[in-house]
Amino acid sequence: MSKPRAVFLDALSLGPVDLAPLEQHAELVCWPSSAAEQRLERLQGAEIAITNKIKLDQELLQHLPPLRLICAASTGTDQIDSEACRKLGIAVRNAGRYSTASVVQVTWALILELVCDLTTRRRQVRSGAWQRSPVFALVEPEFEELAGRTLTVVGAGTIGRGVAAVAEAFGMAVLLITSRSSAAELEAALRQADVISLHAPLTPATRGLINAERLSWLKPAAVLVNLGRGGLIELPALIEALVQGRLAGAALDVLEKEPPGEELESLKKVPNLILTPHIGWASRQARQRLVAALAGHLREAD
């Protein structure tokens, strides 16, 4: 029995990873990336499409009658028109919980950088400021302990709960906001928060979740991290809050446009804003678990 034909539209997005598990179950064709106008030609005759960030919409899918399975090389599936797939009888599978440990780790790396400002401490050592100190330690700028503070997690799935578990180890109180939480619960949790960590999926209901009004509810000493989706935050409102000192700091591992264009230059100048290049999901182990999850879907389709 011949293997099904599978096309990976943006294999380069996974970085250096072993794709051999996929080849065990499919005749695999990999493209580093694919422009919108290349999708139709590259998917011709394919029974399986694999995509990380390449969008697959109804207009495209209706011209691909052999297609019977789309695998998202990600946890989210917002790049795929799921309703069109339902109508056309195309199954959609995601990569599941492959990235939980990686995202939790990077989340806390960013929270700790915002709170402890280790970059400044390293700069003090490299510049010779520590050597010139009249005392044994440099305690300024001061930092606060997390113990006794409150963490609000927005998006209490596996990743959000993992972030919460670490917070409890630090001695923090934790407030979890889920899709079932009311507007009043969200407001109360944001007003109480010393740290806000975003892990919700991007849906019509969560787009712009952190807007100017909700930013006004936060304590001026609070910090915010986003490892969910860029669209969860109204970025101009966040920038204004940081510039005006109404928020102590923010760390964004995700933006709406990735990679960013010229707008990145202005973002680099925003005070107390840390930007990382969408690395939360991408530990070496997580990327290989992702491949294993995709291979499982191909095996079931074989």
Side-chain angles (χ1 to χ4, degrees), residues 168-200:
E168 291 170 351
F170 275 114
M172 300 183 75
V174 176
L175 300 173
L176 296 176
I177 295 297
T178 73
S179 59
R180 296 182 297 277
S181 300
S182 67
E185 289 172 319
L186 173 62
E187 180 175 353
L190 290 177
R191 289 187 181 279
Q192 294 177 64
D194 298 291
V195 179
I196 305 95
S197 194
L198 304 181
H199 302 282

Side-chain angles (χ1 to χ4, degrees), residues 8 10-16 31-33 51-53 73 281-282 287:
F8 198 156
D10 52 348
L12 183 63
S13 65
L14 299 191
W31 297 97
S33 188
T51 175
N52 190 338
K53 298 302 178 189
W281 64 283
R287 288 182 287 113

Side-chain angles (χ1 to χ4, degrees), residues 225-258:
V225 298
N226 184 13
L227 282 92
R229 288 288 185 265
L232 296 175
I233 297 176
E234 289 186 358
L235 191 56
L238 176 64
I239 292 170
E240 184 178 353
L242 290 168
V243 169
Q244 295 180 356
R246 292 185 284 107
L247 185 67
L252 309 179
D253 187 48
V254 287
L255 296 173
E256 281 214 80
K257 180 185 176 184
E258 296 176 338

Side-chain angles (χ1 to χ4, degrees), residues 113-151:
E113 176 59 31
L114 285 170
V115 173
C116 298
D117 194 6
L118 297 180
T119 297
T120 294
R121 320 296 170 177
R122 293 178 68 192
R123 191 179 300 122
Q124 288 173 326
V125 173
R126 291 178 176 179
S127 69
W130 190 20
Q131 290 173 296
R132 294 190 296 270
S133 173
V135 294
F136 75 97
L138 293 180
V139 299
E140 294 181 307
E142 295 179 303
F143 67 97
E144 303 289 338
E145 293 180 352
L146 290 169
R149 303 283 175 165
T150 298
L151 168 71

Side-chain angles (χ1 to χ4, degrees), residues 252-283:
L252 309 179
D253 187 48
V254 287
L255 296 173
E256 281 214 80
K257 180 185 176 184
E258 296 176 338
E262 294 180 356
E263 69 277 9
L264 182 61
E265 294 308 310
S266 60
L267 290 176
K268 291 177 183 178
K269 301 172 185 176
V270 177
N272 301 320
L273 175 62
I274 297 172
L275 298 171
T276 49
H278 204 143
I279 60 164
W281 64 283
S283 72

